[in-house]
Amino acid sequence: MTHTPAAIGAEAVSRVVCGMVRLISPRKVDQADPDHRLVGDLGFHSLVLAELGYNLEDLYGLRSLTPEEAMKLERVSDVIGFVNTEVAEGRAQLPADEDVAALFARYGVDDPAA
């Protein structure tokens, strides 16, 4: 398996998104799986969805989503795919390691996988 910059970036996005979802999920899980439904499986509601969105917007420099776009992000994998697409198409950027660490430190953890 080749570890191209794009593949490494996609792995990093998945790790950060899954880590953030696990941290803020109203239903505590040991690991956020890409197939988990945000609302149905993890108990997300509008306030937690907004928290996830704001954190990812700040971290990746994402644009704000329209309500219609946001409604399409049903699963963790949808969020990962959205962020990866925005980065790949130059509308967002991968954060520095220190920025990721600072975000997770606000939640009292050292690493997204912790």
mmCIF file of all heavy atoms in Angstrom, residues 17-58:
data_model
loop_
_atom_site.group_PDB
_atom_site.id
_atom_site.type_symbol
_atom_site.label_atom_id
_atom_site.label_comp_id
_atom_site.label_asym_id
_atom_site.label_seq_id
_atom_site.Cartn_x
_atom_site.Cartn_y
_atom_site.Cartn_z
ATOM 1 N N VAL A 17 -11.719 13.263 12.870
ATOM 2 C CA VAL A 17 -13.195 13.297 12.901
ATOM 3 C C VAL A 17 -13.717 12.219 13.838
ATOM 4 O O VAL A 17 -14.574 12.500 14.689
ATOM 5 C CB VAL A 17 -13.783 13.151 11.483
ATOM 6 C CG1 VAL A 17 -15.296 12.941 11.549
ATOM 7 C CG2 VAL A 17 -13.457 14.378 10.639
ATOM 8 N N CYS A 18 -13.216 11.007 13.721
ATOM 9 C CA CYS A 18 -13.682 9.933 14.612
ATOM 10 C C CYS A 18 -13.371 10.249 16.075
ATOM 11 O O CYS A 18 -14.194 10.005 16.954
ATOM 12 C CB CYS A 18 -13.063 8.596 14.215
ATOM 13 S SG CYS A 18 -13.760 7.906 12.695
ATOM 14 N N GLY A 19 -12.207 10.816 16.332
ATOM 15 C CA GLY A 19 -11.846 11.188 17.699
ATOM 16 C C GLY A 19 -12.755 12.259 18.258
ATOM 17 O O GLY A 19 -13.210 12.176 19.408
ATOM 18 N N MET A 20 -13.055 13.275 17.457
ATOM 19 C CA MET A 20 -13.936 14.353 17.909
ATOM 20 C C MET A 20 -15.354 13.827 18.127
ATOM 21 O O MET A 20 -15.999 14.149 19.128
ATOM 22 C CB MET A 20 -13.930 15.497 16.890
ATOM 23 C CG MET A 20 -14.791 16.685 17.271
ATOM 24 S SD MET A 20 -14.468 17.435 18.899
ATOM 25 C CE MET A 20 -12.720 17.745 18.829
ATOM 26 N N VAL A 21 -15.838 13.009 17.216
ATOM 27 C CA VAL A 21 -17.181 12.429 17.366
ATOM 28 C C VAL A 21 -17.260 11.621 18.653
ATOM 29 O O VAL A 21 -18.218 11.738 19.420
ATOM 30 C CB VAL A 21 -17.540 11.571 16.128
ATOM 31 C CG1 VAL A 21 -18.748 10.691 16.398
ATOM 32 C CG2 VAL A 21 -17.785 12.465 14.920
ATOM 33 N N ARG A 22 -16.254 10.798 18.898
ATOM 34 C CA ARG A 22 -16.250 9.972 20.114
ATOM 35 C C ARG A 22 -16.256 10.842 21.361
ATOM 36 O O ARG A 22 -16.969 10.571 22.323
ATOM 37 C CB ARG A 22 -15.037 9.047 20.127
ATOM 38 C CG ARG A 22 -15.042 8.083 21.317
ATOM 39 C CD ARG A 22 -13.782 7.242 21.363
ATOM 40 N NE ARG A 22 -12.563 8.015 21.444
ATOM 41 C CZ ARG A 22 -12.120 8.626 22.545
ATOM 42 N NH1 ARG A 22 -12.802 8.584 23.655
ATOM 43 N NH2 ARG A 22 -10.982 9.296 22.516
ATOM 44 N N LEU A 23 -15.479 11.916 21.353
ATOM 45 C CA LEU A 23 -15.383 12.791 22.526
ATOM 46 C C LEU A 23 -16.688 13.503 22.865
ATOM 47 O O LEU A 23 -17.027 13.639 24.032
ATOM 48 C CB LEU A 23 -14.315 13.859 22.300
ATOM 49 C CG LEU A 23 -12.904 13.498 22.646
ATOM 50 C CD1 LEU A 23 -11.976 14.640 22.268
ATOM 51 C CD2 LEU A 23 -12.758 13.167 24.109
ATOM 52 N N ILE A 24 -17.387 13.982 21.849
ATOM 53 C CA ILE A 24 -18.559 14.807 22.134
ATOM 54 C C ILE A 24 -19.877 14.059 21.996
ATOM 55 O O ILE A 24 -20.932 14.624 22.261
ATOM 56 C CB ILE A 24 -18.574 16.085 21.259
ATOM 57 C CG1 ILE A 24 -18.753 15.763 19.786
ATOM 58 C CG2 ILE A 24 -17.331 16.915 21.511
ATOM 59 C CD1 ILE A 24 -18.917 16.993 18.908
ATOM 60 N N SER A 25 -19.817 12.804 21.616
ATOM 61 C CA SER A 25 -21.040 12.019 21.437
ATOM 62 C C SER A 25 -21.833 11.918 22.742
ATOM 63 O O SER A 25 -21.280 11.559 23.781
ATOM 64 C CB SER A 25 -20.681 10.614 20.951
ATOM 65 O OG SER A 25 -21.827 9.811 20.876
ATOM 66 N N PRO A 26 -23.124 12.203 22.692
ATOM 67 C CA PRO A 26 -23.943 12.034 23.892
ATOM 68 C C PRO A 26 -23.991 10.575 24.367
ATOM 69 O O PRO A 26 -24.079 10.329 25.563
ATOM 70 C CB PRO A 26 -25.334 12.504 23.453
ATOM 71 C CG PRO A 26 -25.054 13.496 22.366
ATOM 72 C CD PRO A 26 -23.863 12.912 21.635
ATOM 73 N N ARG A 27 -23.946 9.627 23.449
ATOM 74 C CA ARG A 27 -23.869 8.207 23.813
ATOM 75 C C ARG A 27 -22.402 7.819 23.769
ATOM 76 O O ARG A 27 -21.786 7.792 22.712
ATOM 77 C CB ARG A 27 -24.664 7.354 22.832
ATOM 78 C CG ARG A 27 -26.131 7.603 22.939
ATOM 79 C CD ARG A 27 -26.929 6.527 22.220
ATOM 80 N NE ARG A 27 -28.309 6.932 22.226
ATOM 81 C CZ ARG A 27 -29.048 7.115 21.145
ATOM 82 N NH1 ARG A 27 -28.545 6.876 19.955
ATOM 83 N NH2 ARG A 27 -30.295 7.514 21.250
ATOM 84 N N LYS A 28 -21.851 7.554 24.913
ATOM 85 C CA LYS A 28 -20.421 7.260 24.996
ATOM 86 C C LYS A 28 -20.108 5.912 24.355
ATOM 87 O O LYS A 28 -20.768 4.913 24.609
ATOM 88 C CB LYS A 28 -19.948 7.281 26.453
ATOM 89 C CG LYS A 28 -20.075 8.669 27.063
ATOM 90 C CD LYS A 28 -19.325 9.685 26.234
ATOM 91 C CE LYS A 28 -19.560 11.097 26.660
ATOM 92 N NZ LYS A 28 -19.178 12.081 25.657
ATOM 93 N N VAL A 29 -19.114 5.933 23.480
ATOM 94 C CA VAL A 29 -18.645 4.738 22.791
ATOM 95 C C VAL A 29 -17.133 4.662 22.931
ATOM 96 O O VAL A 29 -16.464 5.682 23.096
ATOM 97 C CB VAL A 29 -19.046 4.749 21.293
ATOM 98 C CG1 VAL A 29 -20.544 4.629 21.120
ATOM 99 C CG2 VAL A 29 -18.531 5.991 20.581
ATOM 100 N N ASP A 30 -16.607 3.439 22.876
ATOM 101 C CA ASP A 30 -15.157 3.262 22.948
ATOM 102 C C ASP A 30 -14.471 3.752 21.685
ATOM 103 O O ASP A 30 -13.339 4.210 21.718
ATOM 104 C CB ASP A 30 -14.804 1.790 23.172
ATOM 105 C CG ASP A 30 -15.205 1.309 24.555
ATOM 106 O OD1 ASP A 30 -15.283 2.138 25.481
ATOM 107 O OD2 ASP A 30 -15.457 0.090 24.697
ATOM 108 N N GLN A 31 -15.195 3.658 20.563
ATOM 109 C CA GLN A 31 -14.625 4.063 19.283
ATOM 110 C C GLN A 31 -15.763 4.523 18.384
ATOM 111 O O GLN A 31 -16.815 3.881 18.328
ATOM 112 C CB GLN A 31 -13.911 2.872 18.653
ATOM 113 C CG GLN A 31 -13.284 3.174 17.331
ATOM 114 C CD GLN A 31 -12.529 1.968 16.796
ATOM 115 O OE1 GLN A 31 -12.220 1.028 17.520
ATOM 116 N NE2 GLN A 31 -12.229 1.987 15.528
ATOM 117 N N ALA A 32 -15.565 5.624 17.693
ATOM 118 C CA ALA A 32 -16.540 6.082 16.704
ATOM 119 C C ALA A 32 -16.224 5.382 15.391
ATOM 120 O O ALA A 32 -15.117 5.471 14.878
ATOM 121 C CB ALA A 32 -16.473 7.588 16.539
ATOM 122 N N ASP A 33 -17.186 4.669 14.891
ATOM 123 C CA ASP A 33 -17.026 3.920 13.652
ATOM 124 C C ASP A 33 -17.573 4.756 12.498
ATOM 125 O O ASP A 33 -18.598 5.411 12.654
ATOM 126 C CB ASP A 33 -17.809 2.611 13.791
ATOM 127 C CG ASP A 33 -17.609 1.703 12.623
ATOM 128 O OD1 ASP A 33 -18.329 1.888 11.615
ATOM 129 O OD2 ASP A 33 -16.757 0.814 12.700
ATOM 130 N N PRO A 34 -16.922 4.728 11.337
ATOM 131 C CA PRO A 34 -17.439 5.499 10.202
ATOM 132 C C PRO A 34 -18.888 5.166 9.843
ATOM 133 O O PRO A 34 -19.598 6.007 9.300
ATOM 134 C CB PRO A 34 -16.484 5.140 9.059
ATOM 135 C CG PRO A 34 -15.193 4.839 9.761
ATOM 136 C CD PRO A 34 -15.616 4.134 11.032
ATOM 137 N N ASP A 35 -19.345 3.967 10.146
ATOM 138 C CA ASP A 35 -20.722 3.586 9.831
ATOM 139 C C ASP A 35 -21.740 4.067 10.863
ATOM 140 O O ASP A 35 -22.946 3.965 10.626
ATOM 141 C CB ASP A 35 -20.837 2.070 9.678
ATOM 142 C CG ASP A 35 -20.175 1.568 8.404
ATOM 143 O OD1 ASP A 35 -20.138 2.329 7.417
ATOM 144 O OD2 ASP A 35 -19.685 0.429 8.402
ATOM 145 N N HIS A 36 -21.285 4.568 11.996
ATOM 146 C CA HIS A 36 -22.224 5.076 13.004
ATOM 147 C C HIS A 36 -23.042 6.230 12.439
ATOM 148 O O HIS A 36 -22.494 7.138 11.799
ATOM 149 C CB HIS A 36 -21.484 5.587 14.248
ATOM 150 C CG HIS A 36 -21.080 4.527 15.200
ATOM 151 N ND1 HIS A 36 -19.846 4.534 15.806
ATOM 152 C CD2 HIS A 36 -21.721 3.445 15.672
ATOM 153 C CE1 HIS A 36 -19.749 3.493 16.613
ATOM 154 N NE2 HIS A 36 -20.874 2.813 16.532
ATOM 155 N N ARG A 37 -24.329 6.206 12.715
ATOM 156 C CA ARG A 37 -25.191 7.336 12.381
ATOM 157 C C ARG A 37 -25.077 8.340 13.523
ATOM 158 O O ARG A 37 -25.173 7.966 14.691
ATOM 159 C CB ARG A 37 -26.633 6.889 12.213
ATOM 160 C CG ARG A 37 -26.841 6.025 10.974
ATOM 161 C CD ARG A 37 -28.216 5.411 10.913
ATOM 162 N NE ARG A 37 -28.324 4.506 12.061
ATOM 163 C CZ ARG A 37 -29.445 4.282 12.741
ATOM 164 N NH1 ARG A 37 -30.565 4.854 12.391
ATOM 165 N NH2 ARG A 37 -29.456 3.453 13.767
ATOM 166 N N LEU A 38 -24.846 9.590 13.177
ATOM 167 C CA LEU A 38 -24.647 10.621 14.206
ATOM 168 C C LEU A 38 -25.859 10.726 15.120
ATOM 169 O O LEU A 38 -25.721 10.707 16.349
ATOM 170 C CB LEU A 38 -24.344 11.967 13.548
ATOM 171 C CG LEU A 38 -23.021 12.041 12.790
ATOM 172 C CD1 LEU A 38 -22.962 13.304 11.943
ATOM 173 C CD2 LEU A 38 -21.844 11.977 13.747
ATOM 174 N N VAL A 39 -27.038 10.855 14.558
ATOM 175 C CA VAL A 39 -28.242 11.041 15.359
ATOM 176 C C VAL A 39 -28.721 9.706 15.921
ATOM 177 O O VAL A 39 -28.908 9.552 17.126
ATOM 178 C CB VAL A 39 -29.351 11.738 14.536
ATOM 179 C CG1 VAL A 39 -30.661 11.798 15.308
ATOM 180 C CG2 VAL A 39 -28.905 13.142 14.134
ATOM 181 N N GLY A 40 -28.927 8.713 15.063
ATOM 182 C CA GLY A 40 -29.519 7.445 15.485
ATOM 183 C C GLY A 40 -28.660 6.617 16.410
ATOM 184 O O GLY A 40 -29.138 6.107 17.422
ATOM 185 N N ASP A 41 -27.383 6.467 16.084
ATOM 186 C CA ASP A 41 -26.514 5.585 16.870
ATOM 187 C C ASP A 41 -25.827 6.305 18.028
ATOM 188 O O ASP A 41 -25.617 5.717 19.087
ATOM 189 C CB ASP A 41 -25.432 4.965 15.988
ATOM 190 C CG ASP A 41 -26.000 4.054 14.904
ATOM 191 O OD1 ASP A 41 -27.050 3.435 15.132
ATOM 192 O OD2 ASP A 41 -25.383 3.993 13.817
ATOM 193 N N LEU A 42 -25.451 7.558 17.805
ATOM 194 C CA LEU A 42 -24.616 8.271 18.775
ATOM 195 C C LEU A 42 -25.369 9.319 19.580
ATOM 196 O O LEU A 42 -24.802 9.945 20.471
ATOM 197 C CB LEU A 42 -23.415 8.897 18.057
ATOM 198 C CG LEU A 42 -22.505 7.880 17.342
ATOM 199 C CD1 LEU A 42 -21.455 8.597 16.512
ATOM 200 C CD2 LEU A 42 -21.864 6.931 18.331
ATOM 201 N N GLY A 43 -26.638 9.552 19.252
ATOM 202 C CA GLY A 43 -27.448 10.469 20.046
ATOM 203 C C GLY A 43 -27.196 11.941 19.806
ATOM 204 O O GLY A 43 -27.562 12.777 20.635
ATOM 205 N N PHE A 44 -26.572 12.275 18.684
ATOM 206 C CA PHE A 44 -26.320 13.689 18.395
ATOM 207 C C PHE A 44 -27.641 14.435 18.259
ATOM 208 O O PHE A 44 -28.628 13.894 17.770
ATOM 209 C CB PHE A 44 -25.514 13.835 17.098
ATOM 210 C CG PHE A 44 -24.025 13.733 17.275
ATOM 211 C CD1 PHE A 44 -23.442 12.609 17.831
ATOM 212 C CD2 PHE A 44 -23.201 14.766 16.871
ATOM 213 C CE1 PHE A 44 -22.072 12.512 17.988
ATOM 214 C CE2 PHE A 44 -21.818 14.684 17.021
ATOM 215 C CZ PHE A 44 -21.255 13.553 17.584
ATOM 216 N N HIS A 45 -27.653 15.672 18.713
ATOM 217 C CA HIS A 45 -28.782 16.582 18.541
ATOM 218 C C HIS A 45 -28.206 17.894 18.031
ATOM 219 O O HIS A 45 -26.995 18.011 17.821
ATOM 220 C CB HIS A 45 -29.562 16.760 19.852
ATOM 221 C CG HIS A 45 -28.693 17.076 21.023
ATOM 222 N ND1 HIS A 45 -28.175 18.328 21.249
ATOM 223 C CD2 HIS A 45 -28.215 16.276 22.016
ATOM 224 C CE1 HIS A 45 -27.432 18.308 22.351
ATOM 225 N NE2 HIS A 45 -27.434 17.077 22.831
ATOM 226 N N SER A 46 -29.046 18.876 17.805
ATOM 227 C CA SER A 46 -28.605 20.092 17.114
ATOM 228 C C SER A 46 -27.421 20.778 17.795
ATOM 229 O O SER A 46 -26.506 21.242 17.125
ATOM 230 C CB SER A 46 -29.765 21.072 16.967
ATOM 231 O OG SER A 46 -30.293 21.429 18.230
ATOM 232 N N LEU A 47 -27.400 20.824 19.100
ATOM 233 C CA LEU A 47 -26.309 21.505 19.801
ATOM 234 C C LEU A 47 -24.982 20.767 19.624
ATOM 235 O O LEU A 47 -23.940 21.392 19.375
ATOM 236 C CB LEU A 47 -26.647 21.645 21.289
ATOM 237 C CG LEU A 47 -25.756 22.547 22.112
ATOM 238 C CD1 LEU A 47 -25.758 23.962 21.554
ATOM 239 C CD2 LEU A 47 -26.244 22.575 23.554
ATOM 240 N N VAL A 48 -25.007 19.459 19.709
ATOM 241 C CA VAL A 48 -23.779 18.669 19.555
ATOM 242 C C VAL A 48 -23.329 18.683 18.092
ATOM 243 O O VAL A 48 -22.133 18.756 17.806
ATOM 244 C CB VAL A 48 -23.975 17.230 20.077
ATOM 245 C CG1 VAL A 48 -22.696 16.423 19.948
ATOM 246 C CG2 VAL A 48 -24.434 17.241 21.527
ATOM 247 N N LEU A 49 -24.290 18.642 17.166
ATOM 248 C CA LEU A 49 -23.933 18.757 15.754
ATOM 249 C C LEU A 49 -23.253 20.095 15.480
ATOM 250 O O LEU A 49 -22.273 20.165 14.739
ATOM 251 C CB LEU A 49 -25.171 18.593 14.872
ATOM 252 C CG LEU A 49 -25.733 17.175 14.776
ATOM 253 C CD1 LEU A 49 -27.114 17.203 14.134
ATOM 254 C CD2 LEU A 49 -24.791 16.258 14.011
ATOM 255 N N ALA A 50 -23.775 21.151 16.091
ATOM 256 C CA ALA A 50 -23.164 22.478 15.917
ATOM 257 C C ALA A 50 -21.755 22.500 16.496
ATOM 258 O O ALA A 50 -20.833 23.059 15.887
ATOM 259 C CB ALA A 50 -24.027 23.551 16.572
ATOM 260 N N GLU A 51 -21.559 21.887 17.662
ATOM 261 C CA GLU A 51 -20.224 21.833 18.273
ATOM 262 C C GLU A 51 -19.243 21.113 17.353
ATOM 263 O O GLU A 51 -18.117 21.582 17.133
ATOM 264 C CB GLU A 51 -20.293 21.131 19.626
ATOM 265 C CG GLU A 51 -18.969 21.045 20.341
ATOM 266 C CD GLU A 51 -19.063 20.378 21.713
ATOM 267 O OE1 GLU A 51 -20.153 19.938 22.132
ATOM 268 O OE2 GLU A 51 -18.008 20.294 22.368
ATOM 269 N N LEU A 52 -19.672 19.989 16.792
ATOM 270 C CA LEU A 52 -18.818 19.254 15.860
ATOM 271 C C LEU A 52 -18.487 20.128 14.656
ATOM 272 O O LEU A 52 -17.329 20.247 14.257
ATOM 273 C CB LEU A 52 -19.511 17.964 15.404
ATOM 274 C CG LEU A 52 -18.761 17.129 14.368
ATOM 275 C CD1 LEU A 52 -17.442 16.617 14.924
ATOM 276 C CD2 LEU A 52 -19.641 15.973 13.898
ATOM 277 N N GLY A 53 -19.500 20.760 14.099
ATOM 278 C CA GLY A 53 -19.298 21.607 12.929
ATOM 279 C C GLY A 53 -18.351 22.762 13.199
ATOM 280 O O GLY A 53 -17.441 23.024 12.407
ATOM 281 N N TYR A 54 -18.550 23.452 14.300
ATOM 282 C CA TYR A 54 -17.685 24.596 14.626
ATOM 283 C C TYR A 54 -16.245 24.166 14.834
ATOM 284 O O TYR A 54 -15.312 24.833 14.380
ATOM 285 C CB TYR A 54 -18.185 25.342 15.860
ATOM 286 C CG TYR A 54 -19.514 26.025 15.652
ATOM 287 C CD1 TYR A 54 -20.489 25.982 16.629
ATOM 288 C CD2 TYR A 54 -19.808 26.716 14.476
ATOM 289 C CE1 TYR A 54 -21.724 26.592 16.437
ATOM 290 C CE2 TYR A 54 -21.024 27.334 14.279
ATOM 291 C CZ TYR A 54 -21.988 27.268 15.273
ATOM 292 O OH TYR A 54 -23.195 27.868 15.080
ATOM 293 N N ASN A 55 -16.052 23.048 15.539
ATOM 294 C CA ASN A 55 -14.682 22.563 15.764
ATOM 295 C C ASN A 55 -13.990 22.216 14.449
ATOM 296 O O ASN A 55 -12.832 22.574 14.230
ATOM 297 C CB ASN A 55 -14.685 21.346 16.691
ATOM 298 C CG ASN A 55 -14.826 21.723 18.137
ATOM 299 O OD1 ASN A 55 -14.325 22.752 18.582
ATOM 300 N ND2 ASN A 55 -15.518 20.895 18.901
ATOM 301 N N LEU A 56 -14.703 21.530 13.564
ATOM 302 C CA LEU A 56 -14.108 21.138 12.290
ATOM 303 C C LEU A 56 -13.910 22.343 11.376
ATOM 304 O O LEU A 56 -12.908 22.419 10.657
ATOM 305 C CB LEU A 56 -14.952 20.059 11.615
ATOM 306 C CG LEU A 56 -15.014 18.718 12.365
ATOM 307 C CD1 LEU A 56 -15.946 17.754 11.647
ATOM 308 C CD2 LEU A 56 -13.639 18.117 12.565
ATOM 309 N N GLU A 57 -14.837 23.297 11.404
ATOM 310 C CA GLU A 57 -14.668 24.523 10.612
ATOM 311 C C GLU A 57 -13.396 25.252 11.033
ATOM 312 O O GLU A 57 -12.603 25.674 10.198
ATOM 313 C CB GLU A 57 -15.862 25.459 10.803
ATOM 314 C CG GLU A 57 -17.095 25.057 10.047
ATOM 315 C CD GLU A 57 -18.291 25.955 10.359
ATOM 316 O OE1 GLU A 57 -18.101 27.080 10.885
ATOM 317 O OE2 GLU A 57 -19.425 25.538 10.067
ATOM 318 N N ASP A 58 -13.222 25.411 12.339
ATOM 319 C CA ASP A 58 -12.038 26.106 12.850
ATOM 320 C C ASP A 58 -10.754 25.351 12.522
ATOM 321 O O ASP A 58 -9.765 25.944 12.100
ATOM 322 C CB ASP A 58 -12.125 26.301 14.364
ATOM 323 C CG ASP A 58 -13.074 27.398 14.772
ATOM 324 O OD1 ASP A 58 -13.510 28.187 13.903
ATOM 325 O OD2 ASP A 58 -13.393 27.472 15.971
#
